[in-house]
Amino acid sequence: MNDLEEKLTKYFKWFHMHPELSYEEYETTEKIKEILTKAGVEILPYDLKTGLIACIRGEKPGPVQALRCDIDALPIREETGLSYASCCEGRMHACGHDFHIITGIGCAILLNERKDQLAGTVKIIFQPAEEAAMGALQILETDVMEDVDRIWGIHADPTNETGVLGIREGYVTAAVDRFVVEIKGTGCHGAHPDDGVDPIPAAAAVIQAFQTIVTRNANAFHPTLISVTRLQAGNTWNVIPETAQLEGTVRTMNREDRALFERRIKEIAESTAQAYGAAAEVQWIQGPPATYNDKEMACYSMQRGQERGFQIVPEESSLGGDDFAFLEENIPGCYLKIGTGKGQLIHQPGFQVDTSVIMPTVEYVVSLFI
Ligand code: NI
């Protein structure tokens, strides 16, 4: 183990032990700042509450590239039994963002040492609040992305062994949208439904009909999904309530399907409720778009991976989302999955990263820039 590997492994364990939730990554930010400052890495003077942006300016001319590393943890009680398990009760780095942090730190240190070989500039974005699906918007509120030509993202992947990279061109994560439907009827006695308008059968009909958007409206070759995840109405057994509320999520992989779902959800909710004598109001809350891997960047990253002895497998696409998609909406981007050892999946209490993957990942990501 060389000096840097030893240091990075030690820092990784520190970050793993000190997980912080979305928008609360104060200690994490301070620690990253401390490590990078000590290594002589430039930190851009943005006034972010949490998160920070490091910048490495190469000695040769070239493009401006960015690497996004998210830094937040989850409200999960860790059950890994690791000697360096979380020391914050009920909080855990269960999505590998501690690994993303250390990859970003390692890349910043190495690129800074190899500035003479670097053509162009690399901005390393330590982004807060990915789990809230909106942290990337804070980054976009600054002008940091304005001169960026292309952006890379990485994610830990416990479905693959170390030494394996999942890379693919095209859509890899879904657009994440949320809807809330309020169905308004007229409350009355449970024994006299004829005196009111019961919103509950209307809600049930709406929920059933929503699934036909996937099976009857969307192209059968496009992955799409709608889940109603909350249904609320009434508070006792003998009163018909006035309203019913349902909420859920839609996942799609392209703009057209996204617009289709938004339109059909409104049509179905409003007209079905009306057919039952009730009225529906739909709120559509747009989250990040789908992540699209640029073809040229995907090919290039595969080639670099092969040169460094990684096995390349097709990246599995997921109807999960990542707010990385906000950052690459208007520029080419590529989101890579790094095998971190097979085990419990992300967002599970037993999820862990094999620390032997840290240094090879850092060297690999550096090779994308040099
Ligand atoms: Ni994640």
Side-chain angles (χ1 to χ4, degrees), residues 4 31 34 37 43 47 58-59 94 112 133 158 175 181 207 251-252 261 263 279 291 305 319 340 342-343:
L4 180 62
K31 187 75 177 177
E34 181 194 310
T37 306
I43 294 167
D47 190 23
E59 286 172 14
N112 203 47
V181 181
I207 292 169
R251 306 297 166 103
T252 51
F261 272 75
R263 176 172 63 80
T291 301
L319 289 172
T340 47
K342 279 190 180 169

Side-chain angles (χ1 to χ4, degrees), residues 42-48 52-55 57 64-66 121 123 125 135-149 151 327 331:
E42 178 185 355
I43 294 167
L44 296 177
Y46 288 110
D47 190 23
L48 293 166
L52 62 95
I53 295 146
C55 184
R57 299 172 204 272
V64 180
Q65 303 191 67
T121 298
K123 292 178 176 177
I125 299 169
L137 294 180
Q138 292 196 349
I139 302 296
L140 287 174
E141 277 169 19
T142 70
D143 62 2
V144 68
M145 290 298 295
E146 271 169 26
D147 61 349
V148 174
D149 299 303
I151 183 164
L327 301 173
I331 52 169

Side-chain angles (χ1 to χ4, degrees), residues 68 70 72 74 94-97 100 130-131 154-156 321-322 335 346-347:
R68 184 277 218 144
D70 39 7
D72 53 333
L74 287 158
C95 198
H97 298 186
H100 306 167
E130 187 279 325
E131 299 295 354
I154 51 159
H155 208 290
D322 195 306
Y335 183 84
I346 53 172
H347 293 215

Side-chain angles (χ1 to χ4, degrees), residues 124-135:
I124 301 181
I125 299 169
F126 293 93
Q127 183 212 295
E130 187 279 325
E131 299 295 354
M134 292 294 171

